[in-house]
Amino acid sequence: AGNTGKLVNSLFAFTTTWVSLEGLAICAKSGIDLRTMVEMVRAAGGGNLFIERMVEGINERGRPTDFALELAAKDAGLLVDLARELSVPAPVAAEVAQALVAAKALGFGQADFTDLVCVVERLAGVELRIAPPAPKPAS
């Protein structure tokens, strides 16, 4: 149960991160300011852990590796294998697993999971940068 729980938790993290980065790449290529989009998503209910917390570090690249993308690819592959063994359709998990394999193929296997942004940038041909949040009004 512990291993399955870990893999499912990873699925949630990998999927929401990847789809958030895809969406931000679409916005960037469309000329939409990423800060504006993030604030809109937060207010509109499409938020997730990546949008709520991790997106604030999107401008940082090359952090020390805490969780390597090659380990993420391994975990994603294990989850897809488990779903197959259990006869549970998991097409989104399979796509995210392939995206993580692409990260390895592009040379990001030893990079930290936060550098997944670099993979999306390379694949989409766009740079993802976000302005700092607006200061909160004084009370």
Side-chain angles (χ1 to χ4, degrees):
N3 191 43
T4 298
K6 175 193 176 292
L7 292 175
V8 170
N9 182 68
S10 293
L11 170 67
F12 294 165
F14 301 161
T15 303
T16 57
T17 298
W18 183 263
V19 77
S20 296
L21 289 168
E22 276 187 4
L24 293 176
I26 292 167
C27 289
K29 279 213 139 168
S30 297
I32 297 171
D33 175 74
L34 297 188
R35 172 59 59 194
T36 301
M37 187 64 202
V38 164
E39 297 305 330
M40 190 269 309
V41 168
R42 286 175 174 166
N48 56 59
L49 177 65
F50 180 83
I51 292 296
E52 296 304 324
R53 289 193 259 166
M54 293 177 64
V55 75
E56 298 304 333
I58 198 173
N59 296 345
E60 296 177 39
R61 305 295 195 276
R63 293 181 188 172
T65 301
D66 183 46
F67 184 61
L69 282 167
E70 69 181 0
L71 292 176
K74 178 181 146 268
D75 283 357
L78 290 171
L79 177 80
V80 170
D81 291 345
L82 178 61
R84 186 178 304 112
E85 288 170 23
L86 297 171
S87 298
V88 175
V92 174
E95 290 296 325
V96 171
Q98 286 302 302
L100 292 167
V101 168
K104 285 177 53 180
L106 291 171
F108 290 99
Q110 295 295 315
D112 188 65
F113 183 75
T114 56
D115 280 335
L116 197 57
V117 64
C118 300
V119 176
V120 172
E121 286 177 329
R122 182 159 319 156
L123 294 173
V126 67
E127 186 176 37
L128 300 179
R129 298 287 176 173
I130 189 167
K136 294 183 181 181
S139 353

